Amino acid sequence: MRKQIVLTGITTTGTPHLGNYAGAIRPAIEASKNADVRPFYFMADYHALIKCQEPERVRQSSLEIAATWLALGLDTSNAVFYRQSDVPEIPELCWMLSCVTAKGLMNRAHAYKAAVAENEEVEGNDPDKGINLGLFSYPVLMAADMLMFNANKVPVGKDQIQHIEMARDIASRFNHLYGEHFAIPEAVVDEHAATILGLDGRKMSKSYNNTIPLFETEKKFKKLINKIKTNSLEPGEPKDPKGCTLFGIYKAFASESEVEEISQRYAEGIAWGEMKKVLFEKINAEIAPARERYYALMDSPKHIEEQLQEGAIKAREISVPFMQSIREAVGISPVTK
Ligand code: TRP
C-alpha cells in the first residue's frame, strides 16, 4: 500500500506556545509514528514574510520552531522535515498555479476579506490599504506547498479549511487544463486536538499577546501559569470547570480519570492557587524532558541546520523532477526535443 502523505506547515513569525503544541505539534508528531503515513512537516518562512518584515524575528522563529519539533522527538528518518524556502520549486510552482487561478477566487479568501473589512470600517479609507499582494495570493502559495508533494491529508485549524478548498479548486483546474498532475488534498480538522485558552481567557494566540511559550524556563513557566486569569471565588467555594481556562488546559494534558478527579475537586471548592500548582506539575511532567533537549538544540543551531539541510535534500528529490514534469506540461522546455 502506498503511504498516505500527511503535510502541514507552521508560519515562522513567533515562539511556539502551549496552544501550538496541544493543537498542532503534538498530534502531528503522534501521526508521524503511524507506519502507513509519510509526513511532510515544514517551516513556512515564505508565508512569514507576508505579515512579518522583521528579518531577525523570522530567523529566530524558524530556529525556535525547528528546535521545538526536534526536541519533541519528531522522527526525521520517516518524516521529511524542511524549510519551505529551501525548496525553490515551491515558489516556481506557485507561479504556475497563479496563472490558472481566478482572481475572483482570491477575492473570496477570508484573510483578505477580513483585512478589507477592517479598512472599510474607517470612512474614506482605501479598502486595500496596507494589503500586500502576498496576503492576497497567500492561498496560492499554500496550494503550492501541498500540491508539490501530492499531499493527501492536511491537518489544520478550522481557519485554514478554506485555503485547502481553494487548493483543491486550483489543482482541479490545472489537472483539467494540463492532465492529471496533482493529487487533490483533503483538510483534516482534529476535533480532539485541544484548543487552549490564553492568560486572559481568550483563545491562546500570538496576535492576542496572551500566550504561554512552550519552552519557557521552568521558573518563568510556573510564573505564567500563576498569571492565568480566574474568577474571584474563594477556596472552599464550589467552582464550575466549564469555561475555566485552567481546567481547559488541564484537560489537554491529563487522562480521563485525572480529569474526573479534578472535576470532583472543583465541586469541593479547590483553591485557585492549588489548581495552578496541579496544572503546573501536570504540564511540566510532560514537557520537562523535551525542554532540556530544546535548550541543548538551541545551543547548537548547527545541528538543527544539518537536519534541515537533510530534509531539503529529501524534499528536492521529489520537487526537482516533479517541477520538471510540470514545466513540460505547460510548454516550458528546451526547443530542441
Ligand atoms: N497557513 C498556515 C497557517 O498559518 C501555514 C501553512 C503554510 C500551511 N502552508 C501550509 C498549513 C500548507 C498546511 C499546509 O497555519
Side-chain angles (χ1 to χ4, degrees):
M1 200 186 81
R2 255 192 84 217
K3 288 190 181 192
Q4 280 267 338
I5 296 189
V6 175
L7 175 144
T8 198
I10 297 189
T11 307
T12 56
T13 48
T15 297
H17 55 71
L18 274 186
N20 301 137
Y21 171 68
I25 305 175
R26 187 175 58 187
I29 289 180
E30 262 328 293
S32 77
K33 293 180 181 149
N34 180 343
D36 299 330
V37 161
R38 181 117 213 256
F40 284 72
Y41 296 153
F42 67 97
M43 260 74 60
D45 51 353
Y46 280 142
H47 276 102
L49 302 185
I50 293 166
K51 50 183 173 183
C52 179
Q53 285 155 358
E54 300 161 56
E56 211 27 67
R57 177 140 168 231
V58 174
R59 222 182 331 267
Q60 180 65 17
S61 172
S62 302
L63 174 65
E64 290 175 355
I65 294 174
T68 299
W69 283 98
L70 296 172
L72 290 168
L74 177 68
D75 173 7
T76 51
S77 65
N78 183 31
V80 182
F81 179 60
Y82 59 103
R83 185 164 41 200
Q84 184 186 34
S85 61
D86 282 335
V87 185
E89 292 73 28
I90 291 172
E92 186 179 353
L93 179 59
C94 180
W95 179 253
M96 306 275 189
L97 298 177
S98 291
C99 295
V100 303
T101 300
K103 173 175 174 283
L105 183 69
M106 295 300 100
N107 287 342
R108 293 194 286 277
H110 298 317
Y112 169 68
K113 273 181 31 187
V116 171
E118 199 176 307
N119 282 334
E120 284 174 340
E121 272 171 26
V122 181
E123 179 128 346
N125 246 357
D126 176 353
D128 279 329
K129 183 171 176 253
I131 299 175
N132 59 43
L133 273 179
L135 176 69
F136 184 66
S137 57
Y138 181 111
V140 189
L141 180 55
M142 210 169 136
D145 289 330
M146 295 177 243
L147 302 183
M148 178 59 82
F149 298 107
N150 279 318
N152 306 113
K153 306 273 177 190
V154 183
V156 283
K158 286 197 186 73
D159 59 320
Q160 298 291 321
I161 296 176
Q162 189 197 31
H163 296 147
I164 290 149
E165 278 162 6
M166 290 178 158
R168 295 165 64 91
D169 269 17
I170 297 169
S172 306
R173 176 89 188 120
F174 191 98
N175 286 348
H176 176 72
L177 285 167
Y178 297 115
E180 292 296 311
H181 292 274
F182 298 125
I184 308 296
E186 205 179 301
V188 189
V189 179
D190 183 349
E191 298 294 345
H192 300 293
T195 305
I196 278 185
L197 301 181
L199 296 174
D200 57 359
R202 290 187 291 172
K203 180 185 172 198
M204 189 178 286
S205 159
K206 62 191 165 207
S207 34
Y208 291 149
N209 215 355
N210 64 358
T211 66
I212 301 178
L214 179 58
F215 292 132
E216 204 51 281
T217 60
E218 188 172 303
K219 214 168 129 201
K220 276 204 195 140
F221 186 64
K222 193 175 213 165
K223 255 197 177 149
L224 281 171
I225 299 264
N226 282 327
K227 267 173 76 175
I228 295 173
K229 224 169 105 185
T230 60
N231 60 28
S232 50
L233 291 174
E234 298 288 335
E237 287 187 83
K239 299 175 172 66
D240 190 358
K242 224 171 88 212
C244 172
T245 305
L246 297 173
F247 185 83
I249 303 178
Y250 186 76
K251 235 175 106 179
F253 288 85
S255 69
E256 243 170 70
S257 64
E258 287 169 324
V259 171
E260 224 164 85
E261 193 192 316
I262 280 293
S263 305
Q264 188 56 37
R265 293 187 67 188
Y266 266 64
E268 288 161 6
I270 186 173
W272 289 132
E274 169 63 13
M275 181 55 199
K276 286 177 172 176
K277 221 173 103 199
V278 170
L279 180 62
F280 165 77
E281 300 290 346
K282 188 76 218 155
I283 305 177
N284 198 50
E286 179 169 324
I287 65 173
R291 184 195 288 126
E292 292 292 312
R293 289 194 293 272
Y294 178 81
Y295 282 114
L297 282 159
M298 290 297 282
D299 277 341
S300 73
K302 237 182 89 201
H303 178 74
I304 298 176
E305 187 56 37
E306 272 167 23
Q307 297 264 332
L308 291 174
Q309 291 303 327
E310 270 175 42
I313 289 171
K314 285 203 265 178
R316 294 199 73 204
E317 275 166 13
I318 299 166
S319 66
V320 170
F322 187 58
M323 200 57 224
Q324 190 52 37
S325 65
I326 297 296
R327 286 166 146 251
E328 274 165 30
V330 301
I332 293 181
S333 53
V335 291
T336 53
K337 263 228 173 143

